[in-house]
Amino acid sequence: MKRERELRPVFSRRALLLGAAQVAGFGALGIRLYRMQVLQHGKYATLAKQNSVNERMLAPLRGVITDRTGLILAGNKQHWRALFMMIQAPDPEAVIDQFAHLIPLSPAERTRIARDIAGKPRYVPVLLKDYLDWSDMAKIEVNATALPGVFVDVGASRTYPLGDITSHTIGYVARPTQAQAQDNPVFALPGMRVGRAGVERARDDALRGNPGIVQTEVNAHGTVIRVLDRDNGTQGATVQLTLDAGLQRLAAEQLAGQAGAAVLLDATNGAILAMSSRPGFDPTYFDAGVPETVWKSWMTDPKRPLNDRATAGLYAPGSTFKPNVAMAALECGAITPSTTFYCPGYLKLGNHTFYCWRHQGHGTINVINALQQSCDVFFYHTALVAGIDRIAAMGRKLGLIGALPLDLPGVSHGFLPTRAWARQRKLLWTKGNTVIQGIGQGFTQVTPLGLATMTARIATGRAIGPHIANAIGEIVQSGRAPDDWPSLGFDIRNLAAVRQGMFDVVNTQLGTGYASRLTIPGVFMAGKTGTAQVHDLTQAQEKANYDDANLPWKFRPNAFFIAFAPADAPRYAAAVAVEHGNEGASVSAPIAQALITAALTRDLTPAPPGTIRNAPQAARSLVDHTAGPA
């Protein structure tokens, strides 16, 4: 008993200490639970939610490109695709192998997937397969547990209702580069496309839009159970062009089977109504990737369908260059409208003879008649008295060379030689060089767009600049009013002489373009024919007036025609180039005549910005798009 009485105080102290420790422990646990369940409830609720809810960005729907009436020239088509979230799969390679066992993947697709997996963050979805059909989607759903992180989603691909008719002008889209995807996470999103050519590239920022977000619930296996919320983001802006789809189709039809280009401008403000380069290509291939067989066919085609001849095709313009030479000589005072030169059919310069196309000669002739009959000898003399530097300066002033205010990439500046250029290259510039430039041959290189711009500037006397964007979203672009383009300051008498010569080309029997005069009562077209050699003839062939039609196709001359109408109140300007067409009067002039006739008989008033017409129905109506008065 005594022993028990001695131990009781010790036990009481131990019990007290143990109890205190227990109280302290439970107290700390209670405080901790209180902090977690009450004070930090929001934090841990969010963490718990993130364990089962996944958020990812969505590529925005690309904006629509329309013609001036609202007809869709570039739109979007929805399709189904399989995506893969690497972060939800412990073994991504095994998942991809299992997916490929169910839905075959081509070697190119496996290469792309491997590249995407290596270059993208794990939280960014990777495209496994595009354009799924119902059987593909069923396989994915049935095998969902074996495919953690794989899910079916809706995507969009780019469509071009007019196909190759607008391929060069509208351009195409393609996947962003790896560098772009690394610099901007939005570019890494599945289905994201960027413009690579044409309007698609020039207006990529406006067309791209802003990404959206989708919130999904996933289970422990990484399988998507349901979509909780989806914000598709903001679609890119609608870009309304100045093009008229009917005129564009007509230009393509007129050039069918040939390599060439046709440009039609509103001469009062530079709006491009049609700009066709033929042959074209199917731009939809670039969205998913061009098949090797298609690419090889493009590369081996002698007519080079990928080349945009309208804006980047460089040609010696032949006699369509003569209005520029005439304006240069008239404006500097080297000649006047009444100045004459004698054409015996040739010009002897040193030990070389430069022939006129009409070997029997034109006799004594002034600038108006020389344009009308395209007398080469007159322009040999005119080039010599004006000088190559003045001819080049006038070419820049008329828009034949230099930067144009066109909102498209890859537009060539053209080229006209000068004495300074020759000195820099240690070339001895001779009178013979100047003579040849006087008829648009030699070093002279211009584009069909440059020729159309020159024609519009001669027709109006203003510094008209070609442009193709009419409105971006709701914002109408500048340049629609004639007063937006300043006067070129030409002497009206000089302009009148060149215009009269171009009028006589088409509307008098001696004119080289008489066969292509307009048939609209009371309406007249002014123009200029041109034929440019691409293969040097021998002196004997030139002397014998050799028929170029006997040459192989690739050696025949290029054919050109420029025009504006109505001649007394110019509204439209056109330029047509047909490679190896042999004669501008017989090949290119009828194309320009058809385009200008169609433009004069149609209502080309732009629709309000943002107008979108149903593409399939509108495309079918294009058969009658250019027929009859508006």
Side-chain angles (χ1 to χ4, degrees):
M1 296 293 293
K2 183 178 178 181
R3 176 69 176 169
E4 292 177 357
R5 286 195 297 272
E6 291 175 350
L7 293 174
R8 191 175 295 155
V10 176
F11 176 77
S12 298
R13 286 196 300 274
R14 288 177 178 175
L16 181 61
L17 290 172
L18 182 60
Q22 290 175 335
V23 170
F26 282 114
L29 181 61
I31 293 171
R32 178 64 174 165
L33 289 172
Y34 177 77
R35 290 177 62 192
M36 293 176 63
Q37 295 181 3
V38 179
L39 299 180
Q40 296 181 320
H41 171 76
K43 172 185 175 181
Y44 288 100
T46 300
L47 289 174
K49 186 177 181 182
Q50 288 178 344
N51 286 333
S52 60
V53 175
N54 171 259
E55 284 188 347
R56 59 183 175 86
M57 285 196 297
L58 297 172
L61 195 62
R62 197 165 174 83
V64 171
I65 301 174
T66 75
D67 83 337
R68 67 194 295 112
T69 69
L71 176 72
I72 294 177
L73 302 178
N76 304 297
K77 180 181 179 181
Q78 289 190 335
H79 63 269
W80 296 100
R81 60 189 179 179
L83 302 182
F84 176 42
M85 292 289 290
M86 291 182 287
I87 200 170
Q88 296 172 6
D91 187 352
E93 291 295 334
V95 173
I96 294 170
D97 288 339
Q98 179 63 22
F99 180 89
H101 179 70
L102 296 170
I103 302 173
L105 297 171
S106 69
E109 288 173 321
R110 291 299 295 255
T111 300
R112 174 187 54 76
I113 292 168
R115 184 174 64 245
D116 287 350
I117 287 177
K120 288 184 177 181
R122 288 177 58 83
Y123 57 82
V124 175
V126 170
L127 173 67
L128 295 183
K129 189 78 174 180
D130 233 335
Y131 307 105
L132 299 177
D133 57 30
W134 288 108
S135 64
D136 293 332
M137 291 189 284
K139 291 175 185 177
I140 294 172
E141 292 300 323
V142 170
N143 295 275
T145 56
L147 300 170
V150 177
F151 59 97
V152 174
D153 193 27
V154 65
S157 55
R158 205 64 165 158
T159 63
Y160 300 94
L162 296 190
D164 68 345
I165 289 175
T166 55
S167 55
H168 295 97
T169 304
I170 302 303
Y172 54 85
V173 297
R175 288 164 55 92
T177 64
Q178 280 189 294
Q180 287 176 312
Q182 290 172 353
D183 291 342
N184 187 342
V186 173
F187 285 125
L189 297 175
M192 193 66 191
R193 296 292 185 267
V194 295
R196 293 291 189 213
V199 176
E200 292 275 31
R201 177 179 171 184
R203 298 296 174 177
D204 189 57
D205 288 344
L207 290 164
R208 198 180 301 156
N210 296 312
I213 294 179
V214 63
Q215 191 178 73
T216 57
E217 183 178 355
V218 297
N219 61 20
H221 300 290
T223 303
V224 175
I225 299 172
R226 60 188 173 120
V227 175
L228 301 177
D229 190 25
R230 187 181 183 102
D231 177 2
N232 288 321
T234 306
Q235 182 175 356
T238 296
V239 175
Q240 184 191 63
L241 304 183
T242 60
L243 283 182
D244 178 84
L247 293 174
Q248 183 76 9
R249 180 183 288 277
L250 178 62
E253 291 171 349
Q254 291 288 314
L255 287 166
Q258 303 179 99
V263 179
L264 180 69
L265 302 180
D266 183 328
T268 67
N269 62 16
I272 297 174
L273 301 173
M275 188 162 65
S276 178
S277 175
R278 305 301 296 166
F281 58 91
D282 185 349
T284 58
Y285 278 122
F286 289 92
D287 192 308
V290 182
E292 185 177 356
T293 54
V294 173
W295 184 257
K296 285 183 177 178
S297 72
W298 288 344
M299 293 297 100
T300 56
D301 189 334
K303 292 184 178 178
R304 307 184 309 279
L306 294 180
N307 289 10
D308 184 355
R309 292 168 163 84
T311 65
L314 289 170
Y315 302 95
S319 293
T320 55
F321 188 64
K322 290 174 179 176
N324 178 79
V325 178
M327 284 301 302
L330 288 164
E331 283 292 296
C332 75
I335 66 170
T336 69
S338 59
T339 298
T340 61
F341 292 111
Y342 178 70
C343 170
Y346 59 89
L347 170 69
K348 287 193 69 67
L349 197 62
N351 61 358
H352 192 91
T353 301
F354 297 90
Y355 289 95
C356 184
W357 72 267
R358 191 170 189 268
H359 279 202
Q360 60 267 46
H362 290 94
T364 302
I365 196 168
N366 63 22
V367 67
I368 295 175
N369 299 138
L371 286 169
Q372 173 201 35
Q373 300 171 51
S374 201
C375 176
D376 292 332
V377 170
F378 181 92
F379 284 97
Y380 293 154
H381 287 292
T382 302
L384 287 171
V385 297
I388 192 61
D389 290 338
R390 291 194 182 100
I391 292 172
M394 181 56 65
R396 186 172 297 278
K397 193 168 186 177
L398 288 175
L400 274 175
I401 60 171
L404 293 171
L406 178 61
D407 35 353
L408 285 178
V411 178
S412 175
H413 289 187
F415 175 74
L416 294 179
T418 62
R419 289 186 176 274
W421 170 83
R423 284 195 299 270
Q424 289 173 357
R425 285 153 185 80
K426 299 185 178 357
L427 297 176
L428 177 63
W429 191 265
T430 66
K431 289 183 177 180
N433 294 128
T434 301
V435 162
I436 273 303
Q437 311 308 313
I439 61 168
Q441 298 271 189
F443 295 108
T444 299
Q445 297 278 286
V446 302
T447 65
L449 178 66
L451 285 171
T453 302
M454 177 193 76
T455 306
R457 292 185 179 186
I458 289 174
T460 64
R462 293 181 176 273
I464 301 299
H467 58 279
I468 199 167
N470 194 59
I472 310 297
E474 300 297 320
I475 302 175
V476 175
Q477 304 300 288
S478 61
R480 294 179 66 175
D483 289 342
D484 291 339
W485 307 100
S487 169
L488 289 166
F490 290 137
D491 187 318
I492 192 62
R493 292 168 295 183
N494 296 333
L495 272 179
V498 173
R499 290 171 183 166
Q500 184 64 50
M502 294 178 70
F503 177 92
D504 291 350
V505 166
V506 180
N507 300 289
T508 64
Q509 292 188 17
L510 287 178
T512 56
Y514 183 64
S516 293
R517 60 196 180 281
L518 297 183
T519 58
I520 304 171
V523 181
F524 300 94
M525 176 174 74
K528 183 70 193 77
T529 56
T531 301
Q533 301 288 339
V534 298
H535 176 71
D536 290 336
L537 298 177
T538 66
Q539 280 271 297
Q541 286 176 319
E542 285 192 48
K543 187 174 182 179
N545 206 13
Y546 184 80
D547 186 356
D548 293 309
N550 295 325
L551 293 169
W553 177 80
K554 65 179 180 179
F555 294 141
R556 294 173 190 169
N558 293 331
F560 300 91
F561 189 73
I562 58 174
F564 63 85
D568 56 347
R571 177 66 193 277
Y572 303 109
V576 177
V578 177
E579 292 182 6
H580 313 300
N582 203 45
E583 289 186 357
S586 60
V587 175
S588 298
I591 297 174
Q593 178 204 45
L595 282 173
I596 286 181
T597 298
L600 288 168
T601 54
R602 282 183 38 72
D603 180 7
L604 294 174
T605 304
T611 301
I612 298 177
R613 293 169 56 202
N614 182 275
Q617 293 181 4
R620 284 194 295 270
S621 71
L622 286 177
V623 175
D624 302 318
H625 207 47
T626 60

